Amino acid sequence: LGFWRYDIEANQWDSMTGVPLGRYNKRVKGGTDMVFASYKDTGCVYLLKGYKTEFYRYNPVAGRWDTLPEVPYGANKQKYDKGSFLVYDGVNYIYAHQAKYNDGTNHYMFKYDLGTGQWQTAPLKGMPLAGLQGGSTKDKKSKDGASGAWYDGGLYALKGGNTQHFYRYAPESNSWAELETVPGNGSAGSKKYVKAGGDLVAYGGGAFFALKGNKTYEFWRYVQGTLQASRLTPQARSGVQTGKSAVSSLQLAISPSPITAGFVTLRYSLPKPGPVSITVFDIAGRAVLRQFGIGNLVSGITLDLRKVPAGVYLVRFDADGLTQTQKLVVQK
């Protein structure tokens, strides 16, 4: 039931209020996943406990867990097994993928409305069983190593379960499209597929990073239909890493930092003009400032933070499905 928070500035872990035992009196195990989403302007952790269907929200300001409506399930299987995961669309919904269980064609998936605090009971189409494996189409269940990430209006997912399968889900049509398969041959020196320990994150600019798991060190990057192998070199780092990204076409610079006069300037370059949004979060995940506008290709925005207390903040800049986050220190 242990639940922890990593303090970026102190470079240490803090023990938080443990996960509730819940109605089934079960501890956290395979099938568990978490996402971070905003609830009434407070950043909260949403938890799929795994094993059964328990669903919770952790409020870091109040330091408590709230019990939410349980996740629906398909095939009369009230269980979220290894490979189940959550994905937040960044705006309104959290998607829950139920691994292993299926209707013969697709797995089950459900979405939670952050506004109403309720699950949509009718299942969405989950990942297809059919996918390319070893050059031919085979039906495979989603199992351990499955994971998902949201980018540019779609959900991207690895199937896991010792497969190569990689898909994109389009919510507007409730449909899946198979993308280029994860290569079998990598730095492990033998053919390995995605299994326990696999994971996927969206980086921006159409790039995703993936761990294959399966007792390997393999680390991959997917960019616009191209998979590129790279050996993972461990580095000792602490704090928030800032600077330009070679993958994303969104560039952001903040000055000055630390600020003492109450004003900070964000200078940015965009792949094309369009709507932009800026959110400043405190260390508890609360949004202390939001600003929206239309951005040019290259421009700057000045933020008035004179009413913001001294401390460490994260500034998130969103534009055209791309995101950059940087640390900001406010001094008084």
Side-chain angles (χ1 to χ4, degrees):
L1 300 173
F3 181 60
W4 298 77
R5 179 186 65 190
Y6 178 72
D7 188 317
I8 296 171
E9 283 301 300
N11 189 25
Q12 70 181 24
W13 288 92
D14 301 320
S15 179
M16 313 302 286
T17 305
V19 178
L21 270 173
R23 62 178 290 201
Y24 302 107
N25 199 38
K26 294 292 184 181
R27 300 180 187 276
V28 176
K29 62 185 301 184
T32 296
D33 200 11
M34 298 187 297
V35 293
F36 191 81
S38 181
Y39 171 72
K40 295 183 177 179
D41 288 332
T42 297
C44 293
V45 177
Y46 287 79
L47 170 72
L48 170 65
K49 192 175 182 181
Y51 185 77
K52 285 290 189 177
T53 52
E54 293 173 60
F55 187 55
Y56 299 94
R57 178 180 59 232
Y58 180 77
N59 186 318
V61 178
R64 70 165 188 270
W65 289 96
D66 297 321
T67 302
L68 302 179
E70 291 194 17
V71 189
Y73 52 92
N76 294 319
K77 296 293 184 179
Q78 191 179 1
K79 187 174 182 180
Y80 276 74
D81 215 325
K82 300 179 186 69
S84 298
F85 58 78
L86 298 177
V87 174
Y88 172 46
D89 72 357
V91 184
N92 298 314
Y93 300 107
I94 294 173
Y95 292 80
H97 163 71
Q98 188 179 14
K100 189 176 179 180
Y101 303 109
N102 58 84
D103 61 8
T105 303
N106 293 77
H107 294 81
Y108 296 99
M109 188 168 71
F110 300 87
K111 69 178 180 180
Y112 176 80
D113 189 320
L114 288 162
T116 64
Q118 298 294 324
W119 287 94
Q120 176 181 299
T121 55
L124 301 170
K125 285 185 178 179
M127 268 191 286
L129 294 179
L132 289 173
Q133 185 79 10
S136 61
T137 301
K138 297 180 181 179
D139 283 358
K140 296 284 186 178
K141 294 180 181 179
S142 176
K143 293 183 180 179
D144 52 313
S147 57
W150 190 271
Y151 174 74
D152 195 24
L155 190 162
Y156 292 76
L158 295 171
K159 182 178 281 183
N162 203 31
T163 73
Q164 299 176 268
H165 302 180
F166 181 46
Y167 304 89
R168 182 186 187 274
Y169 172 76
E172 64 276 5
S173 59
N174 189 29
S175 62
W176 291 81
E178 186 172 11
L179 305 177
E180 184 177 349
T181 56
V182 180
N185 294 315
S187 59
S190 60
K191 189 168 290 186
K192 294 282 188 177
Y193 301 127
V194 179
K195 206 174 179 181
D199 204 1
L200 178 74
V201 294
Y203 183 76
F208 298 83
F209 288 90
L211 291 172
K212 193 181 283 187
N214 200 1
K215 297 183 180 180
T216 75
Y217 296 106
E218 292 189 33
F219 183 39
W220 294 79
R221 182 179 68 188
Y222 174 86
V223 184
Q224 297 179 346
T226 301
L227 280 155
Q228 301 175 2
S230 172
R231 290 187 182 275
L232 178 63
T233 303
Q235 298 180 11
R237 295 185 178 181
S238 61
V240 177
Q241 303 300 313
T242 61
K244 294 184 177 181
S245 162
V247 177
S248 174
S249 54
L250 166 63
Q251 305 296 335
L252 175 68
I254 297 178
S255 65
S257 182
I259 64 171
T260 56
F263 293 92
V264 64
T265 299
L266 278 62
R267 301 192 183 280
Y268 61 86
S269 62
L270 303 176
K272 61 181 180 180
V276 300
S277 68
I278 301 164
T279 310
V280 180
F281 296 95
D282 64 15
I283 58 174
R286 293 171 296 197
V288 298
L289 182 143
R290 296 182 190 275
Q291 190 162 319
F292 305 90
I294 301 297
N296 297 317
L297 286 175
V298 179
S299 189
I301 295 176
T302 299
L303 304 181
D304 183 353
L305 300 177
R306 287 176 294 178
K307 296 182 180 180
V308 172
V312 178
Y313 297 84
L314 289 178
V315 180
R316 190 178 74 192
F317 188 97
D318 295 281
D320 194 32
L322 305 177
T323 299
Q324 286 276 4
T325 302
Q326 293 196 20
K327 181 177 71 173
L328 173 66
V329 177
V330 177
Q331 296 179 348
K332 297 293 185 178

